[in-house]
Amino acid sequence: MPDTIYLDNAATTYPKPREVHDFMHEFYSTCGGSPERTGSGATGRIDQIVSQTRKMLCELFGGNDSKRLTFCYNASDAINQIVQGMLSPGDHVITSRLEHNSVLRPLYHKEQAGEIEVTYIPFDGAGFISPDDVKTSVRKNTKLVLLNHASNVTGAVQPIAETGKICREAGVYFAVDASQTAGAIKIDAREMNIDLIAFTGHKSLMGPVGIGGIYTGENIPISATRFGGTGVFSELRTHPEEFPYRLECGTLNILGVAGLYAGLNWLNKQGIEHIHAREMDLWDRLRQGLRATGSVIIYCADRRENHAPILSFNIPGLEAADAGAILNADYGIVCRTGLHCAPLVHEGIGTDKLYGAVRFSIGPFNTEEHIDRAISAVGEIAAMYTGNL
Ligand SMILES: Cc1ncc(COP(=O)(O)O)c(C=O)c1O
């Protein structure tokens, strides 16, 4: 089998930069103790890395108070905290049909329990929502608008700044799932009027799995959803209201934070915009190459502006899972097939009945050669199977 070509970076980026592995190893080998647990006397460097990472992320998200950058496990965990901590019985939420199950399921649970009402706005043929749909969906009891920044199926980057303006004018809170864009595409809480940004560390931020978080703006009424030790205010019977403690409990995943710290330093050295431009060059090459085969159906916009380097497609006559299995077994290409945890997107693009689509997603370590091999693999498979079903 040829060398593996990893084209599943929207699931998790791989490989991670050498610097991330090296820093995590060095950090965990030389630093003992739990952050902010006074009395251990050994946590100086740990506290410094944790607070520096909060600062770097806060800056990345256009925030102005790094204490409001809180850590949790991943984006799913962050979105659960937002949904549970922001919503009360009787509230209405606006979301979209482009969302990942990390958004949909926490909302469905509350909706099915009769606690909240939810409006699911549609997206157009190229994968974009319309801010006007958000505007016309606002009701008296609308508390929150919760949208992703980029779809993990179509790759379309949503009109977040326009939507943020509408939310601010309407007096509703705006939360963004930045899973596919944090560390890749600019997202600025201040400029875009975003109140809460949920992120995950293991995708474009180039960190390990098990670390993610939330940036929470000022005066956002988010309650703690879990309670416990914080290392400070131990005399209180209730969980502290202060940030970051309000949304964190128990010992922090300092190894994950260290990985994020190294990932952020690596990104800053390479230049986030430079990496994105290079990935989008590869995406353009992939899109044009797949189109030129004349035998695949592509589900993405026809232009690179407002796009993430994600491309979903199908080979007519072949189920996505089978195409993925052949790509993997015969060509060494790792990709993702199925519904991509975003079933409403597949309903919208008509691929739900086909058991989803094949998704290629590009990362910083992909090359033109990878893309050319992927195009020719798809072309060969299509030539063999098209019209078989
Ligand atoms: C748009 C979107 N939201 C949420 C998630 C969930 O991220 P995590 O698995 O890190 O919680 C993903 C991951 O695939 C995603 O693409």
Side-chain angles (χ1 to χ4, degrees):
M1 189 166 83
D3 294 344
T4 298
I5 298 174
Y6 185 81
L7 286 175
D8 198 13
N9 291 280
T12 194
T13 47
Y14 176 82
K16 305 296 177 188
R18 185 74 252 157
E19 289 85 336
V20 171
H21 294 265
D22 289 348
F23 185 76
M24 288 174 73
H25 179 73
E26 185 272 327
F27 178 80
Y28 214 47
S29 319
T30 56
C31 288
S34 184
E36 289 203 58
R37 270 47 173 181
T38 47
S40 77
T43 63
R45 181 156 178 245
I46 299 173
D47 290 347
Q48 187 211 329
I49 295 293
V50 169
S51 86
Q52 188 60 25
T53 309
R54 288 194 208 276
K55 277 196 191 118
M56 289 161 88
L57 285 164
C58 178
E59 207 169 292
L60 182 72
F61 297 136
N64 42 21
D65 178 1
S66 64
K67 290 201 168 67
R68 289 172 170 269
L69 191 297
T70 50
F71 292 114
C72 56
Y73 307 130
N74 48 39
S76 308
D77 191 34
I79 295 161
N80 269 279
Q81 282 189 304
I82 292 172
V83 167
Q84 310 299 334
M86 288 292 290
L87 298 176
S88 310
D91 286 339
H92 171 241
V93 179
I94 300 169
T95 188
S96 84
R97 301 183 65 81
L98 276 176
E99 304 309 314
H100 191 276
N101 274 337
S102 299
V103 167
L104 296 176
R105 284 182 175 157
L107 291 175
Y108 288 153
H109 274 266
K110 281 198 169 291
E111 193 182 25
Q112 281 169 17
E115 290 174 28
I116 61 168
E117 296 169 323
V118 185
T119 299
Y120 301 87
I121 61 170
F123 54 91
D124 67 18
F128 296 92
I129 61 135
S130 161
D132 279 344
D133 284 338
V134 173
K135 192 173 189 171
T136 53
S137 302
V138 173
R139 303 179 192 164
K140 272 206 179 97
N141 60 338
T142 306
K143 175 80 161 287
L144 183 70
V145 173
L146 172 53
L147 297 173
N148 70 45
H149 191 193
S151 158
N152 64 313
V153 181
T154 70
V157 175
Q158 302 305 316
I160 289 301
E162 294 87 327
T163 307
K165 193 162 172 279
I166 287 168
C167 293
R168 191 55 33 107
E169 283 164 7
V172 300
Y173 297 106
F174 185 30
V176 176
D177 168 10
S179 297
Q180 290 297 339
T181 54
I185 295 170
K186 189 175 172 191
I187 179 159
D188 190 299
R190 250 172 311 174
E191 275 178 22
M192 298 176 171
N193 288 308
I194 304 169
D195 297 306
L196 299 130
I197 296 175
F199 66 95
T200 198
H202 64 101
K203 300 188 197 266
S204 294
L205 286 167
M206 305 311 288
V209 290
I211 188 80
I214 305 176
Y215 176 74
T216 306
E218 276 162 37
N219 303 317
I220 308 302
I222 185 166
S223 314
T225 55
R226 43 203 177 198
F227 318 107
T230 47
V232 293
F233 303 115
S234 296
E235 71 286 3
L236 295 182
R237 290 240 168 164
T238 52
H239 201 79
E241 291 276 303
E242 281 81 356
F243 282 90
Y245 315 110
R246 187 189 296 195
L247 300 184
E248 290 177 356
C249 70
T251 302
L252 262 190
N253 173 7
I254 52 164
L255 186 55
V257 173
L260 258 185
Y261 173 82
L264 282 159
N265 279 323
W266 184 84
L267 284 174
N268 288 336
K269 210 154 114 199
Q270 309 292 316
I272 289 176
E273 282 175 18
H274 170 74
I275 296 174
H276 182 63
R278 199 183 150 272
E279 289 174 351
M280 289 310 293
D281 286 346
L282 295 178
W283 178 83
D284 252 342
R285 190 181 182 95
L286 177 65
R287 184 173 55 100
Q288 285 169 27
L290 288 181
R291 275 218 197 294
T293 66
S295 43
V296 296
I297 303 168
I298 295 176
Y299 310 104
C300 67
D302 245 342
R303 54 186 157 85
R304 61 187 279 165
E305 289 73 35
N306 298 324
H307 227 281
I310 292 172
L311 193 149
S312 296
F313 66 94
N314 269 320
I315 299 171
L318 194 61
E319 278 180 17
D322 293 337
I326 298 168
L327 281 164
N328 191 237
D330 293 350
Y331 298 91
I333 295 173
V334 179
C335 58
R336 173 92 196 274
T337 63
L339 298 179
H340 310 103
C341 299
L344 301 184
V345 183
H346 286 279
E347 273 180 28
I349 61 179
T351 43
D352 54 324
K353 306 281 185 307
L354 306 173
Y355 309 104
V358 183
R359 181 184 72 187
F360 286 160
S361 49
I362 296 164
F365 294 102
N366 286 125
T367 62
E368 289 186 354
E369 194 215 328
H370 291 165
I371 300 304
D372 293 346
R373 277 173 52 194
I375 295 165
S376 92
V378 172
E380 281 180 29
I381 298 169
M384 269 187 283
Y385 290 93
T386 296
N388 264 10
L389 281 185

